[in-house]
Amino acid sequence: METPKESRPSYRMGCYIVDGHAGEVLKSGVRVKKLSPTHFAVLYQLVEHKGALVLREEFTLWPRKGSVDRRNPVDTYVSQIKKRLGDASIIEGDWGKGYRLSPALHPEIIKSPSLSELERRLMIALEELNAHTTAGFRASIDVCQDLLTGGRIEEACSAIALAYINLGHTGFCRENRDLSLHRARKVLADAIEWFPAFGSAYALRGLAHLLDYKWDAADADFTTALGHSPDNEYAHCFLAHMLAAQGSFDAALDHARIAARIDYGSAITVMTEPWMMLFAGHTVEAVFKGEEVVRLFGHTGPAHAILGDAYCAAGELTKALEQYKRALDIEYLPGAVSGRGFVYGQMGLPEEARGCLTDLETKKESGTIAYVSSWHRALVYAGLRETMLALDALDKAFEERSDWLIYAGVDPHWKELRGEEPFQNLLRRIGITKPWTLGP
């Protein structure tokens, strides 16, 4: 979404406060006066990465690759930042590659010293949304609905819509899928009426279309979103998902990387890149990048689940099980349960695999989840190599309009089913008709 200055987190690290709202740095409580917006943007990107290396071509202001021995504008700004802060150790360089924040500094998110009460509450809602948990989605909806009683706020609308979409989709199964999408669409219709140039509203409406297999409508909305807001991370992220599902992997990865550069503070946005690598068949790269993201966002369950999928595709089944367990330690995620069931099936442990199906049903009966998508049943059956049961469950998942079916042609979990005529028919019904979208 259009991320306004006030929605950027602020950080404390040692004697420094990096105020994302005001775009300024305080050192020992005193504002550093000589930092321009460009200096701040460079430092802020390094702070967001929390000690991870940022390659020279990855800096948002200069996204181009240069030679090792050729000076990039970021080199000059890093040197000036050190001088103006009076701290040569705050940024470390990796010669010819890029820069990282000093490992001696440990950024923690704090309340911005310059936020108004409304801005502070919106910040809370966005932080809850970025936590990517059921509780976070619901808290974000509550806060933003309260904010909307006092006036029309663009970011509140988009936060509510995204939270509803997530609560209903296959990965969480916390609310009825159709009801969640209906609520999201209603909020987005209001947002587009109130703010006709609000790119995030079109991007989210495009996502809702995509999850309903309406490919052309989704593409039109993503195009509109980027027309209004070329740096809209939602549009780039969701477009990456659509392109990968259609087999356009290079373009998908380009958009995933743009989204990550724009919003490196969102775990699920950053995790999109290794997820798309997995769909493209770049398994080694998906594992490597997934491990990097989990190091940065170890508190996020879906990040562990996606890394588990990457390990599974790489044949590292024990590591996959470990990641699914870590995801479930954070929150009950149906995708981690069915992923674990798939792995157990591949390992020749049918009792454990079927136990995952029982666990899903038990959680539905207890009210932990609202429904069990047939997509999850199909995944466990595929792991057990019970082909007809898997195909029947996938057919039921289509009737349920399971959103994760958009990846059916590229998800490596289904590779043993791709030669089956019912699976080919399923792809055509979803709208995947091009032979090169059948994945690695």
Side-chain angles (χ1 to χ4, degrees):
M1 70 186 168
E2 289 87 331
T3 306
K5 216 168 44 168
E6 59 267 18
S7 72
R8 295 187 306 193
S10 296
Y11 296 88
R12 176 185 288 112
M13 49 181 200
C15 66
Y16 296 101
I17 289 178
V18 181
D19 188 335
H21 168 60
E24 62 185 27
V25 176
L26 284 73
K27 183 177 181 180
S28 299
V30 178
R31 185 171 72 87
V32 180
K33 297 180 179 179
K34 295 183 179 180
L35 289 182
S36 70
T38 302
H39 292 112
F40 183 83
V42 170
L43 178 61
Y44 192 85
Q45 190 169 349
L46 291 167
V47 172
E48 282 188 307
H49 280 65
K50 299 178 181 178
L53 182 69
V54 182
L55 300 179
R56 295 157 94 205
E57 64 269 19
E58 291 178 336
F59 279 89
T60 306
L61 296 175
W62 306 284
R64 65 175 184 273
K65 193 172 182 66
S67 63
V68 172
D69 58 352
R70 186 175 178 181
R71 197 164 181 81
N72 185 295
V74 73
D75 302 328
T76 300
Y77 280 96
V78 165
S79 176
Q80 292 173 353
I81 290 168
K82 292 179 178 182
K83 290 179 181 177
R84 295 179 188 192
L85 293 178
D87 186 351
S89 66
I90 189 171
I91 299 171
E92 294 184 353
D94 190 336
W95 190 84
K97 294 183 178 180
Y99 297 94
R100 60 169 59 86
L101 193 69
S102 167
L105 297 173
H106 305 284
E108 58 175 332
I109 293 178
I110 62 169
K111 173 184 174 182
S112 170
S114 56
L115 280 175
S116 70
E117 178 61 18
L118 184 149
E119 292 165 339
R120 185 188 68 80
R121 295 179 66 200
L122 181 58
M123 171 71 80
I124 290 171
L126 296 176
E127 288 173 0
E128 293 283 6
L129 187 66
N130 281 337
H132 218 74
T133 63
T134 300
F137 297 143
R138 289 177 173 156
S140 181
I141 290 170
D142 288 344
V143 172
C144 288
Q145 285 180 334
D146 189 43
L147 287 173
L148 288 177
T149 63
R152 298 172 178 179
I153 304 169
E154 297 161 294
E155 289 77 20
C157 294
S158 58
I160 291 171
L162 183 56
Y164 276 136
I165 289 170
N166 277 305
L167 286 170
H169 83 61
T170 303
F172 283 88
C173 298
R174 286 320 196 269
E175 293 188 3
N176 176 277
R177 173 201 178 274
D178 292 337
L179 180 59
S180 291
L181 277 180
H182 172 75
R183 288 170 171 167
R185 288 190 174 108
K186 186 176 184 302
V187 173
L188 292 171
D190 288 340
I192 290 170
E193 179 183 350
W194 297 338
F195 312 106
F198 184 35
S200 290
Y202 294 98
L204 285 159
R205 191 175 69 177
L207 176 62
H209 286 316
L210 179 60
L211 301 184
D212 240 353
Y213 318 148
K214 297 176 181 177
W215 303 84
D216 291 341
D219 184 53
D221 270 343
F222 296 149
T223 299
T224 300
L226 291 172
H228 288 304
S229 178
D231 291 330
N232 187 287
E233 67 269 27
Y234 283 176
H236 285 291
C237 183
F238 305 153
L239 180 56
H241 284 266
M242 187 184 77
L243 291 168
Q246 294 173 322
S248 299
F249 301 121
D250 289 343
L253 285 167
D254 284 345
H255 284 284
R257 288 165 181 148
I258 292 170
R261 280 202 300 266
I262 296 169
D263 188 14
Y264 205 81
S266 168
I268 204 64
T269 300
V270 177
M271 199 69 202
T272 297
E273 183 180 356
W275 203 3
M276 300 305 103
M277 289 174 173
L278 176 63
F279 292 155
H282 303 161
T283 308
V284 174
E285 294 93 332
V287 167
F288 180 81
K289 189 67 177 179
E291 290 173 339
E292 177 185 312
V293 176
V294 163
R295 283 194 295 272
L296 292 170
F297 301 103
H299 59 284
T300 305
H304 288 285
I306 292 170
L307 179 55
D309 291 344
Y311 279 136
C312 178
E316 298 187 62
L317 302 185
T318 301
K319 287 186 176 180
L321 288 175
E322 180 184 345
Q323 289 302 317
Y324 293 139
K325 181 181 183 302
R326 290 186 179 182
L328 291 166
D329 286 343
I330 296 168
E331 179 172 24
Y332 190 82
L333 297 174
V337 178
S338 58
R340 189 163 60 176
F342 179 91
V343 170
Y344 283 140
Q346 296 286 291
M347 295 174 77
L349 299 170
E351 186 175 341
E352 288 82 352
R354 294 183 187 281
C356 292
L357 291 175
T358 302
D359 184 54
L360 287 166
E361 294 296 340
T362 300
K363 289 299 190 293
K364 176 190 173 185
E365 291 171 6
S366 70
T368 301
I369 56 178
Y371 70 99
V372 178
S373 170
S374 293
W375 186 96
H376 297 300
R377 299 186 183 99
L379 187 62
V380 176
Y381 291 139
L384 288 165
R385 295 185 172 87
E386 295 183 358
T387 300
M388 294 311 299
L389 287 175
L391 290 170
D392 285 346
L394 285 172
D395 192 61
K396 289 184 177 67
F398 175 80
E399 293 174 5
E400 297 164 0
R401 310 298 283 182
S402 171
D403 40 80
W404 275 359
L405 279 182
I406 65 170
Y407 309 119
V410 296
D411 187 336
H413 286 118
W414 311 118
K415 64 182 179 182
E416 294 184 11
L417 301 181
R418 288 178 186 151
E420 301 289 338
E421 184 59 30
F423 190 82
Q424 296 291 322
N425 289 336
L426 174 69
L427 294 180
R428 285 188 281 272
R429 290 159 70 196
I430 296 166
I432 301 171
T433 57
K434 298 177 182 177
W436 58 82
T437 66
L438 299 184

